[in-house]
């Protein structure tokens, strides 16, 4: 089937994903290279554009790189790669300068200094932000810069399904579905920047496109994947009628919001001396424990001590989200519950995105540099996207020869026969429910075994060589890799909590 597919004109660099990692890499490549940037949905639909809290960076004279490193290592539960932590965090001030130079409108004090907020696990204020709409401010500034580059072609609604490889194992581009057709997109170098995998769960903060495709594709192309059991559940998604309807940023707790039971009682001080500002895994499990103990569908987050005008200035996005659901942040404690948010693991990569597979880099959330260890420190992810994107761009500037005489890449048109539509809806819904129930915030060995067997049987039922099955295969492969990793790690660590690991049961809350 693949042999008869049409080839597009080869491009120099094919970037799969137009979030912060992909855009940063695109802007960091030499302008002489032809770059194609794929987005699964509309360009504005990615986790990066939805980010709220901000970007962690040492920008205050009272702060230090050592302190940021230590907070990251503590949150990561001793599982981080210390050299990657230091390398990435040391570049945070430069990354912020680069973003400011691209015109990102960060929130500032009257004297022009960046306003810094605080989030869980950080010993001090070190989160630069654009009110609570940081992601949208960053993403739209970089997208505008990309649009000014004639050699850079963004392609919306284009889904990479499979990486192409040569006989020597080198990656040579990707098989892409666009406008209902299948095409082969050859490239000198491919950058996987496909983001996270929250859509494998029925409750997630992640956008539609975050379904873990990149992990599966890179794994099948020969990359090592690691730390996939460490999935971060955000403690506070707004919870309405049993559904998560959007994120409520941790910066709200950084600015004094308290978690309460329906009777008004606080519970976090009983779990951790840092209370509401403990690392995210600890807060999420504490909330889940209280919900189970009291038979609750949610707990309450209370910031009513702040005046309305202050809330609307600092948290316009959360205020609007609450208002859309008939809630008033200024006068009411709001219903929140934990929700699948972030993959700490992924495709093993160096800080410059190198994966070990020639011709293929991985950057951003899909990658695993070891920065996050077993549990990511809040607001270190956007930072990692910028640092990796810039490093990958610099590395490829040397590695990819400019073939400026080749024809410019065109948007795909009149390609293969239309791909027959396949309805995988029922299996996808069942998969999301299975992952939520059996591979969720707290896991047990027998549930993981059952889930692995079920995912295995869905995989076995897929036709072997049909491209129509690839969208489902990618999700099933990634779900299988997560579940297998969770089963194999028989003890609790960071965001991976096993209630059936007696030696470590006590440590679910202690760190
Ligand atoms: P994304 O921004 O998710 O972009 C992925 C891109 O890949 C998209 O363009 C998507 O369409 C594309 N794609 C996916 N699959 C395919 C495919 N098969 N073919 C083609 N294209 C594909 N982190 C912080 O540090 N600070 C925060 O304040 C913060 N807030 C957050 C709030 C929310 C609601 C969420 C969901 C996450 C938040 N995070 C935050 C995490 C952070 O936003 C993400 O980890 C980060 O943005 C990931 O960037 P990325 O470029 O790797 O992926
Ligand atoms: C948030 O704003 O709470 C999300 C921050 C993050 O995921 O780092």
């Amino acid at each position: 089937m693949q042999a008869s597919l049409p080839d597009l004109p080869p491009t120099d660099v094919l970037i799969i994903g137009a979030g912060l990692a992909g855009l940063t890499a695109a802007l960091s490549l030499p302008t002489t290279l032809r770059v194609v940037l794929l987005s699964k949905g509309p360009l504005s639909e990615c986790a990066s554009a939805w980010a709220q809290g901000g970007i962690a960076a040492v920008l205050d004279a009272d702060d230090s790189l050592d302190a940021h490193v230590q907070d990251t290592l503590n949150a990561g539960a001793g599982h981080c790669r210390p050299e990657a932590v230091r390398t990435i965090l040391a570049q945070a001030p430069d990354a912020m300068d680069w973003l400011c130079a691209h015109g990102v409108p960060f929130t500032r004090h009257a004297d022009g200094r960046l306003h810094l907020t605080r989030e869980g696990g950080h010993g001090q204020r070190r989160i630069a932000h654009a009110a609570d709409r940081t992601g949208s401010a960053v993403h739209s500034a970089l997208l505008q810069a990309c649009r000014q580059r004639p050699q850079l072609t963004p392609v919306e609604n284009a889904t990479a399904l499979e990486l192409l490889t040569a006989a020597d194992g080198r990656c040579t581009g990707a098989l892409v579905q666009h406008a209902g057709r299948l095409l082969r997109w050859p490239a000198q170098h491919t950058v996987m920047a496909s983001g996270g995998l929250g859509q494998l769960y029925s409750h997630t903060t992640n956008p539609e496109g975050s379904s873990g495709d990149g992990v599966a594709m890179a794994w099948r192309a020969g990359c090592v994947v690691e730390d996939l059991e460490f999935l971060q559940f955000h403690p506070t998604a707004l919870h309405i009628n049993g559904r998560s309807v959007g994120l409520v940023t941790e910066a709200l707790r950084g600015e004094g919001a308290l978690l309460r039971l329906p009777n008004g009682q606080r519970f976090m001080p009983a779990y951790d001396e840092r209370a509401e500002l403990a690392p995210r895994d600890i807060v999420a499990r504490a909330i889940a424990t209280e919900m189970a103990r009291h038979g609750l569908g949610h707990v309450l987050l209370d910031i009513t001590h702040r005046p309305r005008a202050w809330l609307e200035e600092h948290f316009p996005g959360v205020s609007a989200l609450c208002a859309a659901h008939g809630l008033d942040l200024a006068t009411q404690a709001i219903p929140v519950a934990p929700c699948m948010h972030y993959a700490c693991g992924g495709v093993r990569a160096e800080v410059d995105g190198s994966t070990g597979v020639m011709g293929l880099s991985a950057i951003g959330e899909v990658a695993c540099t070891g920065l996050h260890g077993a549990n990511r420190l809040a607001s270190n992810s956007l930072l990692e996207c910028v640092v990796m994107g810039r490093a990958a761009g610099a590395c490829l500037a040397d590695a990819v020869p400019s073939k400026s005489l080749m024809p410019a890449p065109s948007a795909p048109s009149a390609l293969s026969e239309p791909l027959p539509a396949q309805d995988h809806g029922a299996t996808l819904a069942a998969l999301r429910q299975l992952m939520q129930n059996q591979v969720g915030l707290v896991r047990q060995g027998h549930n993981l075994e059952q889930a692995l067997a079920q995912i295995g049987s869905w995989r076995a039922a897929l036709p072997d060589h049909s491209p129509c099955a690839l969208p489902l295969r990618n999700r099933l492969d990634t779900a299988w890799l997560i579940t297998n990793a969770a089963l194999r790690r028989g003890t609790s660590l960071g965001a991976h909590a096993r209630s059936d690991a007696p030696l470590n049961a006590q440590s679910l809350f202690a760190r």
Side-chain angles (χ1 to χ4, degrees):
M1 163 93 192
Q2 290 192 22
S4 64
L5 287 179
D7 281 357
L8 282 172
T11 189
D12 294 322
V13 182
L14 176 67
I15 303 180
I16 301 173
L20 182 54
L23 297 188
T24 304
L27 289 169
S28 304
L29 287 163
T31 50
T32 47
L33 290 178
R34 287 103 21 91
V35 179
V36 169
L37 193 60
L38 304 183
S39 165
K40 196 169 174 179
L43 283 165
S44 58
E45 194 181 280
C46 57
S48 300
W50 289 15
Q52 296 185 1
I55 303 180
V58 172
L59 299 168
D60 190 287
D62 293 337
D63 199 359
S64 71
L65 175 60
D66 283 347
H68 192 183
V69 166
Q70 197 53 53
D71 288 345
T72 299
L73 296 175
N74 289 348
H79 193 69
C80 302
R81 267 193 255 160
E83 63 289 357
V85 172
R86 189 163 283 276
T87 303
I88 292 172
L89 301 187
Q91 293 180 52
D94 272 0
M96 284 300 300
D97 285 347
W98 186 83
L99 290 172
C100 291
H102 280 90
V104 178
F106 287 107
T107 300
R108 291 179 184 271
H109 293 281
D111 62 7
R113 280 176 305 122
L114 287 170
H115 180 270
L116 301 177
T117 188
R118 191 169 173 185
E119 291 183 279
H122 288 275
Q124 41 204 318
R125 287 182 172 267
R126 66 164 73 96
I127 319 291
H129 62 106
D132 62 353
R133 290 172 170 147
T134 310
S136 158
V138 169
H139 194 258
S140 49
L142 296 193
L143 203 50
Q144 201 183 337
C146 284
R147 290 204 162 105
Q148 282 153 19
R149 291 217 172 186
Q151 292 277 76
L152 203 163
T153 312
V155 186
E156 291 185 304
N157 304 313
T159 302
L161 298 176
E162 184 83 290
L163 292 170
L164 305 172
T165 47
D168 63 359
R170 160 185 289 275
C171 177
T172 56
L175 192 65
V176 177
Q177 183 178 5
H178 180 74
R181 289 164 194 271
L182 197 63
L183 55 127
R184 225 177 357 218
W185 213 315
Q188 294 198 63
H189 195 96
T190 303
V191 179
M192 186 60 76
S194 56
L197 48 79
Q199 284 293 332
L200 296 178
Y201 284 75
S202 42
H203 295 287
T204 181
T205 61
N206 289 193
E208 197 60 37
S210 303
S211 55
D213 305 353
V215 170
M217 286 188 270
W219 174 66
R220 290 197 301 267
C223 290
V224 174
V225 295
E226 65 182 4
D227 290 351
L228 282 170
E229 64 275 39
F230 301 116
L231 298 185
Q232 184 168 73
F233 285 71
H234 197 290
T236 59
L238 189 65
H239 212 68
I240 305 288
N241 298 329
R243 260 188 351 110
S244 303
V245 296
L247 181 73
V248 176
T249 174
E250 192 158 316
L252 218 67
R253 278 176 281 130
E255 299 294 346
L258 299 176
L259 286 161
R260 299 187 190 279
L261 295 173
N263 66 6
Q265 191 190 332
R266 282 180 73 194
F267 52 88
M268 274 316 301
Y271 288 91
D272 192 285
E273 61 184 12
R274 293 159 291 185
E276 278 82 359
L277 289 180
R280 210 168 263 180
D281 58 328
I282 292 174
V283 181
R285 279 195 295 274
I287 292 174
T289 303
E290 293 298 317
M291 284 167 55
R293 182 175 290 159
H294 301 286
L296 303 170
H298 57 254
V299 296
L300 297 171
L301 185 67
D302 182 1
I303 194 161
T304 53
H305 63 283
R306 291 284 194 176
R308 181 184 304 284
W310 185 93
L311 286 171
E312 284 173 357
E313 182 190 345
H314 288 262
F315 296 103
V318 174
S319 298
L321 174 68
C322 290
H325 293 278
L327 296 165
D328 180 3
L329 195 59
T331 58
Q332 286 173 280
I334 58 171
V336 292
C339 178
M340 169 53 201
H341 183 59
Y342 183 84
C344 299
V347 180
R348 186 179 172 120
E350 301 304 321
V351 174
D352 65 6
S354 313
T355 60
V357 170
M358 293 291 288
L360 179 64
S361 311
I363 57 174
E365 187 170 339
V366 72
C368 178
T369 56
L371 169 64
H372 311 304
N375 174 53
R376 175 175 64 99
L377 183 66
S379 286
N380 268 354
S381 173
L382 293 180
L383 169 63
E384 185 183 42
C385 288
V386 178
V387 171
M388 290 192 87
R390 294 182 75 203
C395 170
L396 297 183
D398 294 334
V400 180
S402 171
K403 299 237 178 100
S404 49
L405 294 179
M406 291 171 74
S410 57
S413 60
L415 295 161
S416 70
E417 289 306 301
L419 200 60
Q422 294 275 306
D423 186 7
H424 296 305
T427 311
L428 284 178
L431 173 67
R432 296 178 76 200
Q433 204 60 55
L434 182 80
M435 295 300 284
Q436 186 75 36
N437 295 340
Q438 318 260 68
V439 199
L441 180 58
V442 180
R443 293 125 183 214
Q444 287 193 358
H446 70 269
N447 286 340
L448 294 170
E449 275 164 17
Q450 277 175 8
L452 199 65
Q454 177 61 70
I455 297 166
S457 71
W458 281 326
R459 284 169 92 207
L462 286 178
D464 256 356
H465 297 295
S466 166
C468 305
L470 282 170
L472 180 57
R473 177 172 296 283
N474 283 335
R475 290 173 198 231
L476 289 176
D477 280 356
T478 301
W480 190 90
L481 290 165
I482 293 167
T483 308
N484 189 45
L487 185 59
R488 280 186 305 144
R489 189 175 293 278
T491 54
S492 300
L493 185 69
H496 172 63
R498 292 276 302 245
S499 62
D500 57 347
L503 280 177
N504 289 272
Q506 294 305 316
S507 72
L508 288 188
F509 293 106
R511 192 152 78 243

Short mmCIF file of all heavy atoms in Angstrom, two decimals, residues 50-56 119-120 122 127 132 134 205 232 234-236 247-253 280 315 318 341-342 376-382, ligand 2:
data_model
loop_
_atom_site.label_atom_id
_atom_site.label_comp_id
_atom_site.label_asym_id
_atom_site.label_seq_id
_atom_site.Cartn_x
_atom_site.Cartn_y
_atom_site.Cartn_z
N TRP A 50 -2.90 26.67 25.72
CA TRP A 50 -3.84 26.62 26.85
C TRP A 50 -3.15 26.84 28.19
O TRP A 50 -3.80 26.86 29.22
CB TRP A 50 -4.53 25.25 26.88
CG TRP A 50 -5.51 25.03 25.78
CD1 TRP A 50 -5.66 25.75 24.63
CD2 TRP A 50 -6.50 23.98 25.72
NE1 TRP A 50 -6.66 25.21 23.86
CE2 TRP A 50 -7.20 24.13 24.51
CE3 TRP A 50 -6.85 22.94 26.57
CZ2 TRP A 50 -8.23 23.26 24.12
CZ3 TRP A 50 -7.89 22.07 26.20
CH2 TRP A 50 -8.57 22.25 24.98
N ALA A 51 -1.81 26.94 28.20
CA ALA A 51 -1.10 27.02 29.49
C ALA A 51 -1.53 28.26 30.25
O ALA A 51 -1.77 29.32 29.67
CB ALA A 51 0.40 27.02 29.24
N GLN A 52 -1.61 28.11 31.55
CA GLN A 52 -2.13 29.21 32.38
C GLN A 52 -1.05 29.81 33.26
O GLN A 52 -0.72 30.99 33.17
CB GLN A 52 -3.28 28.68 33.27
CG GLN A 52 -4.49 28.21 32.50
CD GLN A 52 -5.65 27.82 33.40
OE1 GLN A 52 -5.59 27.92 34.63
NE2 GLN A 52 -6.74 27.37 32.80
N GLY A 53 -0.49 28.98 34.15
CA GLY A 53 0.32 29.49 35.27
C GLY A 53 1.53 30.27 34.82
O GLY A 53 1.74 31.41 35.24
N GLY A 54 2.39 29.69 33.97
CA GLY A 54 3.53 30.46 33.50
C GLY A 54 4.78 29.63 33.25
O GLY A 54 4.72 28.43 33.02
N ILE A 55 5.92 30.33 33.32
CA ILE A 55 7.22 29.75 32.97
C ILE A 55 8.18 29.98 34.14
O ILE A 55 8.39 31.12 34.55
CB ILE A 55 7.78 30.42 31.70
CG1 ILE A 55 6.77 30.25 30.56
CG2 ILE A 55 9.14 29.85 31.34
CD1 ILE A 55 7.20 30.87 29.26
N ALA A 56 8.74 28.87 34.63
CA ALA A 56 9.64 28.98 35.78
C ALA A 56 11.02 29.44 35.32
O ALA A 56 11.58 28.87 34.38
CB ALA A 56 9.74 27.62 36.48
N GLU A 119 4.03 28.71 42.51
CA GLU A 119 3.22 27.50 42.37
C GLU A 119 3.77 26.43 43.30
O GLU A 119 4.84 26.59 43.90
CB GLU A 119 3.22 27.02 40.92
CG GLU A 119 2.44 27.95 39.98
CD GLU A 119 2.38 27.44 38.56
OE1 GLU A 119 3.36 27.63 37.82
OE2 GLU A 119 1.37 26.84 38.19
N GLY A 120 3.04 25.30 43.37
CA GLY A 120 3.41 24.23 44.30
C GLY A 120 4.82 23.71 44.06
O GLY A 120 5.26 23.60 42.92
N HIS A 122 7.63 25.11 44.56
CA HIS A 122 8.64 26.17 44.40
C HIS A 122 8.85 26.84 45.76
O HIS A 122 7.89 27.28 46.38
CB HIS A 122 8.18 27.22 43.39
CG HIS A 122 8.20 26.74 41.97
ND1 HIS A 122 9.34 26.77 41.19
CD2 HIS A 122 7.24 26.19 41.19
CE1 HIS A 122 9.08 26.29 39.99
NE2 HIS A 122 7.80 25.91 39.96
N ILE A 127 7.73 32.34 38.87
CA ILE A 127 6.96 31.99 37.67
C ILE A 127 6.59 33.27 36.92
O ILE A 127 5.74 34.06 37.37
CB ILE A 127 5.64 31.24 38.02
CG1 ILE A 127 5.85 30.21 39.14
CG2 ILE A 127 5.02 30.63 36.78
CD1 ILE A 127 6.67 29.02 38.78
N ASP A 132 -3.25 34.88 33.64
CA ASP A 132 -3.35 33.41 33.67
C ASP A 132 -3.60 32.88 32.26
O ASP A 132 -4.17 31.82 32.08
CB ASP A 132 -4.45 32.95 34.64
CG ASP A 132 -5.84 33.43 34.24
OD1 ASP A 132 -5.95 34.23 33.28
OD2 ASP A 132 -6.82 33.01 34.89
N THR A 134 -0.88 32.67 29.96
CA THR A 134 0.51 32.71 29.51
C THR A 134 0.69 31.99 28.18
O THR A 134 1.35 32.49 27.26
CB THR A 134 1.41 32.04 30.57
OG1 THR A 134 1.11 32.62 31.84
CG2 THR A 134 2.88 32.22 30.25
N THR A 205 -7.02 17.73 31.20
CA THR A 205 -6.92 19.16 30.89
C THR A 205 -6.45 19.37 29.45
O THR A 205 -6.42 20.49 28.98
CB THR A 205 -5.85 19.82 31.80
OG1 THR A 205 -4.58 19.19 31.53
CG2 THR A 205 -6.18 19.69 33.26
N GLN A 232 1.24 12.90 35.41
CA GLN A 232 0.89 13.88 36.43
C GLN A 232 -0.59 14.24 36.35
O GLN A 232 -1.07 14.64 35.29
CB GLN A 232 1.73 15.13 36.20
CG GLN A 232 1.55 16.19 37.23
CD GLN A 232 2.63 17.26 37.10
OE1 GLN A 232 2.59 18.05 36.17
NE2 GLN A 232 3.55 17.29 38.02
N HIS A 234 -3.28 16.86 37.53
CA HIS A 234 -3.34 18.19 38.12
C HIS A 234 -4.39 18.16 39.23
O HIS A 234 -5.48 17.62 39.04
CB HIS A 234 -3.73 19.22 37.05
CG HIS A 234 -3.42 20.63 37.47
ND1 HIS A 234 -4.13 21.28 38.46
CD2 HIS A 234 -2.47 21.51 37.05
CE1 HIS A 234 -3.62 22.50 38.61
NE2 HIS A 234 -2.62 22.66 37.77
N PRO A 235 -4.06 18.75 40.40
CA PRO A 235 -5.01 18.65 41.52
C PRO A 235 -6.33 19.36 41.27
O PRO A 235 -7.37 18.93 41.77
CB PRO A 235 -4.27 19.33 42.69
CG PRO A 235 -2.82 19.36 42.28
CD PRO A 235 -2.79 19.39 40.78
N THR A 236 -6.29 20.47 40.51
CA THR A 236 -7.50 21.30 40.48
C THR A 236 -8.02 21.59 39.07
O THR A 236 -7.75 22.64 38.50
CB THR A 236 -7.25 22.64 41.23
OG1 THR A 236 -6.16 23.33 40.58
CG2 THR A 236 -6.92 22.42 42.69
N LEU A 247 -8.94 23.73 33.37
CA LEU A 247 -7.93 23.82 34.43
C LEU A 247 -8.15 25.06 35.30
O LEU A 247 -8.54 26.12 34.80
CB LEU A 247 -6.54 23.92 33.78
CG LEU A 247 -5.36 24.00 34.75
CD1 LEU A 247 -5.12 22.65 35.40
CD2 LEU A 247 -4.10 24.45 34.02
N VAL A 248 -7.91 24.90 36.59
CA VAL A 248 -7.82 26.06 37.49
C VAL A 248 -6.37 26.13 37.95
O VAL A 248 -5.89 25.28 38.69
CB VAL A 248 -8.77 25.91 38.70
CG1 VAL A 248 -8.59 27.09 39.65
CG2 VAL A 248 -10.22 25.81 38.23
N THR A 249 -5.67 27.13 37.48
CA THR A 249 -4.21 27.17 37.66
C THR A 249 -3.77 27.08 39.12
O THR A 249 -4.39 27.65 40.02
CB THR A 249 -3.61 28.44 37.01
OG1 THR A 249 -2.22 28.49 37.32
CG2 THR A 249 -4.26 29.72 37.50
N GLU A 250 -2.62 26.40 39.27
CA GLU A 250 -2.01 26.25 40.58
C GLU A 250 -1.55 27.62 41.14
O GLU A 250 -1.36 27.76 42.34
CB GLU A 250 -0.79 25.34 40.40
CG GLU A 250 -0.20 24.83 41.65
CD GLU A 250 0.61 23.56 41.40
OE1 GLU A 250 0.14 22.67 40.66
OE2 GLU A 250 1.70 23.47 41.94
N ALA A 251 -1.39 28.58 40.25
CA ALA A 251 -0.99 29.93 40.71
C ALA A 251 -2.05 30.51 41.65
O ALA A 251 -1.75 31.36 42.49
CB ALA A 251 -0.78 30.85 39.51
N LEU A 252 -3.27 30.00 41.54
CA LEU A 252 -4.33 30.47 42.46
C LEU A 252 -3.94 30.09 43.89
O LEU A 252 -4.07 30.90 44.81
CB LEU A 252 -5.65 29.80 42.08
CG LEU A 252 -6.91 30.65 42.18
CD1 LEU A 252 -6.89 31.76 41.16
CD2 LEU A 252 -8.16 29.79 41.97
N ARG A 253 -3.44 28.85 44.05
CA ARG A 253 -2.96 28.44 45.39
C ARG A 253 -1.68 29.20 45.73
O ARG A 253 -1.44 29.54 46.88
CB ARG A 253 -2.73 26.92 45.43
CG ARG A 253 -4.02 26.15 45.68
CD ARG A 253 -3.82 24.65 45.63
NE ARG A 253 -3.75 24.18 44.26
CZ ARG A 253 -2.80 23.38 43.77
NH1 ARG A 253 -1.84 22.94 44.57
NH2 ARG A 253 -2.81 23.02 42.52
N ARG A 280 2.74 18.67 43.24
CA ARG A 280 1.43 18.37 42.66
C ARG A 280 0.92 16.97 42.94
O ARG A 280 -0.27 16.76 43.18
CB ARG A 280 1.59 18.56 41.15
CG ARG A 280 0.38 18.97 40.46
CD ARG A 280 0.74 19.39 39.06
NE ARG A 280 0.89 20.82 38.96
CZ ARG A 280 1.20 21.45 37.83
NH1 ARG A 280 1.40 20.75 36.73
NH2 ARG A 280 1.30 22.75 37.80
N PHE A 315 -6.39 36.82 37.34
CA PHE A 315 -6.92 35.53 36.88
C PHE A 315 -8.15 35.72 35.98
O PHE A 315 -9.23 35.19 36.26
CB PHE A 315 -7.26 34.63 38.08
CG PHE A 315 -6.04 34.27 38.89
CD1 PHE A 315 -5.77 34.90 40.10
CD2 PHE A 315 -5.13 33.32 38.43
CE1 PHE A 315 -4.62 34.59 40.83
CE2 PHE A 315 -3.99 33.00 39.15
CZ PHE A 315 -3.73 33.63 40.35
N VAL A 318 -9.46 32.18 34.55
CA VAL A 318 -10.17 31.33 35.51
C VAL A 318 -11.49 32.00 35.92
O VAL A 318 -12.53 31.32 36.04
CB VAL A 318 -9.30 31.02 36.76
CG1 VAL A 318 -10.09 30.27 37.80
CG2 VAL A 318 -8.06 30.22 36.35
N HIS A 341 -3.07 15.34 33.38
CA HIS A 341 -2.56 16.64 32.92
C HIS A 341 -1.29 16.54 32.09
O HIS A 341 -1.18 17.19 31.04
CB HIS A 341 -2.29 17.49 34.17
CG HIS A 341 -1.83 18.89 33.91
ND1 HIS A 341 -2.57 19.79 33.18
CD2 HIS A 341 -0.71 19.55 34.29
CE1 HIS A 341 -1.91 20.94 33.12
NE2 HIS A 341 -0.78 20.82 33.78
N TYR A 342 -0.30 15.73 32.52
CA TYR A 342 1.03 15.86 31.91
C TYR A 342 1.79 14.54 31.96
O TYR A 342 1.75 13.83 32.97
CB TYR A 342 1.84 16.93 32.68
CG TYR A 342 3.19 17.18 32.07
CD1 TYR A 342 3.33 18.07 31.02
CD2 TYR A 342 4.32 16.52 32.54
CE1 TYR A 342 4.58 18.29 30.43
CE2 TYR A 342 5.57 16.74 31.96
CZ TYR A 342 5.69 17.62 30.91
OH TYR A 342 6.90 17.85 30.33
N ARG A 376 6.75 16.24 37.66
CA ARG A 376 7.25 17.54 37.18
C ARG A 376 6.96 18.68 38.16
O ARG A 376 5.86 18.79 38.69
CB ARG A 376 6.59 17.87 35.84
CG ARG A 376 6.93 19.23 35.30
CD ARG A 376 6.33 19.42 33.92
NE ARG A 376 4.89 19.40 33.96
CZ ARG A 376 4.12 20.49 33.96
NH1 ARG A 376 4.67 21.70 33.96
NH2 ARG A 376 2.82 20.39 33.96
N LEU A 377 7.96 19.53 38.33
CA LEU A 377 7.74 20.77 39.09
C LEU A 377 6.94 21.72 38.20
O LEU A 377 7.24 21.90 37.01
CB LEU A 377 9.09 21.39 39.45
CG LEU A 377 9.04 22.67 40.30
CD1 LEU A 377 8.48 22.40 41.69
CD2 LEU A 377 10.45 23.28 40.42
N ALA A 378 5.93 22.37 38.80
CA ALA A 378 5.04 23.25 38.04
C ALA A 378 5.82 24.27 37.22
O ALA A 378 6.83 24.81 37.66
CB ALA A 378 4.13 23.98 39.02
N SER A 379 5.34 24.50 36.00
CA SER A 379 5.84 25.53 35.08
C SER A 379 7.26 25.29 34.57
O SER A 379 7.87 26.18 33.98
CB SER A 379 5.71 26.94 35.69
OG SER A 379 4.35 27.30 35.65
N ASN A 380 7.78 24.07 34.77
CA ASN A 380 9.05 23.71 34.15
C ASN A 380 8.86 23.18 32.73
O ASN A 380 9.85 22.97 32.02
CB ASN A 380 9.76 22.61 34.97
CG ASN A 380 10.71 23.20 36.01
OD1 ASN A 380 10.94 24.41 36.04
ND2 ASN A 380 11.26 22.35 36.86
N SER A 381 7.60 22.96 32.32
CA SER A 381 7.40 22.34 31.01
C SER A 381 7.53 23.33 29.86
O SER A 381 8.23 23.06 28.87
CB SER A 381 6.02 21.67 30.95
OG SER A 381 5.78 21.23 29.66
N LEU A 382 6.88 24.49 29.98
CA LEU A 382 7.01 25.49 28.91
C LEU A 382 8.48 25.86 28.77
O LEU A 382 9.00 26.03 27.66
CB LEU A 382 6.17 26.73 29.23
CG LEU A 382 4.65 26.54 29.22
CD1 LEU A 382 3.95 27.86 29.55
CD2 LEU A 382 4.14 26.01 27.89
C1 LIG B 2 -1.06 25.51 36.14
O1 LIG B 2 -1.15 26.68 35.76
O2 LIG B 2 -1.49 25.11 37.22
C2 LIG B 2 -0.38 24.53 35.25
C3 LIG B 2 1.06 24.73 35.39
C4 LIG B 2 1.80 23.56 34.87
O3 LIG B 2 1.22 22.57 34.42
O4 LIG B 2 3.03 23.63 34.95
#
